[in-house]
């Protein structure tokens, strides 16, 4: 069966510091991968998605970037965090060509 | 572009009572539709999905949803709510051709004793 991992689970970072969040998927190959952000009490905002290694689509211009160095690894980064980057970050995967997405447990990021 | 509307921000239901959460979508062709549930501090879990065929779909945890093309709706139902069903529920439609989901803003379900 497929599983999706995210780490760290929680993170507290000062403004201006770098960020690296990692997501990995097991038990499948060539998945579509997605990064979402969920601000407190808000819905889901799609940040990036990827349909293959090195292929990244950005949904919202912002302080963040994403990379997919391996088939089942998706990384969310920032060079300098802003207060507004605080939120709950969710990674998801979907089988290529099918709509449903499966979500990881999330990373709670607090920028101070 | 596709859009999803969940008109109820909060709903409170007594334990044991029936539940219906509303979802309306905007899409020209037959959509792929989904319901997800999110407990506090956790990721989203897929409850059920509709691709085609029977318009009444069964999901996990005793949930079902009915696709009504004439009303552009995909409402989620459960005949008897349990306290553990308290969570946030999201409806979503696939943005066909782009391999993305468009999510509604969510409905928070509160279950009273």
């Amino acid at each position: 069966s497929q599983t999706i991992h995210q780490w760290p689970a929680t993170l507290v970072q000062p403004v201006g510091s770098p960020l690296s969040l990692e997501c990995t998927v097991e038990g499948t190959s060539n998945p579509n991968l997605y990064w979402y952000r969920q601000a407190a009490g808000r819905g889901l905002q799609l940040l990036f998605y990827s349909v293959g290694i090195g292929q990244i689509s950005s949904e919202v211009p912002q302080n963040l970037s994403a990379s997919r160095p391996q088939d089942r690894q998706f990384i969310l980064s920032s060079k300098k965090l802003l207060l507004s980057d605080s939120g709950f970050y969710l990674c998801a995967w979907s089988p290529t060509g099918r709509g449903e997405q499966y979500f990881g447990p999330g990373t709670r990021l607090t920028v101070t | 572009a596709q859009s999803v509307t969940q008109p109820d921000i909060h709903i409170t239901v007594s334990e044991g009572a029936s539940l219906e959460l509303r979802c309306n979508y905007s899409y020209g062709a037959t959509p792929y539709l989904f319901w997800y549930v999110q407990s506090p501090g956790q990721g989203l879990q897929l409850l059920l999905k509709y691709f085609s065929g029977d318009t009444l779909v069964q999901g996990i945890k005793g949930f079902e949803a009915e696709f009504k093309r004439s009303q552009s709706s995909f409402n989620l139902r459960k005949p008897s709510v349990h306290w553990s069903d308290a969570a946030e529920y999201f409806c979503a439609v696939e943005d066909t051709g782009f391999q993305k989901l468009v999510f509604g803003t969510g409905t928070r379900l509160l279950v009273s004793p």
Side-chain angles (χ1 to χ4, degrees), chain B residues 69-86:
Chain B
R69 183 190 302 276
S70 62
Q71 299 178 19
S72 297
S73 68
F74 188 57
N75 294 349
L76 182 70
R77 302 195 294 245
K78 187 170 185 178
S80 178
V81 169
H82 187 262
W83 64 267
S84 60
D85 293 323

Side-chain angles (χ1 to χ4, degrees), chain A residues 32 34 36 38 44 46 49 59 88 90 97-101 103-105, chain B residues 34 36 38 41-44 46 49 51 90 94 98-101 103 105:
Chain A
N32 290 351
Y34 306 84
Y36 291 87
Q38 194 175 27
L44 290 153
L46 179 62
Y49 70 99
E59 289 294 295
F88 192 50
L90 289 160
R98 293 177 56 180
E100 72 264 29
Q101 294 179 15
F103 285 78
Chain B
F34 310 86
Y36 286 84
Q38 184 182 31
Q42 297 186 23
L44 278 69
L46 179 65
K49 59 189 177 186
F51 286 171
F90 293 93
E94 185 190 41
F98 295 94
Q99 302 187 54
K100 300 184 294 182
L101 294 182
F103 284 87
T105 51

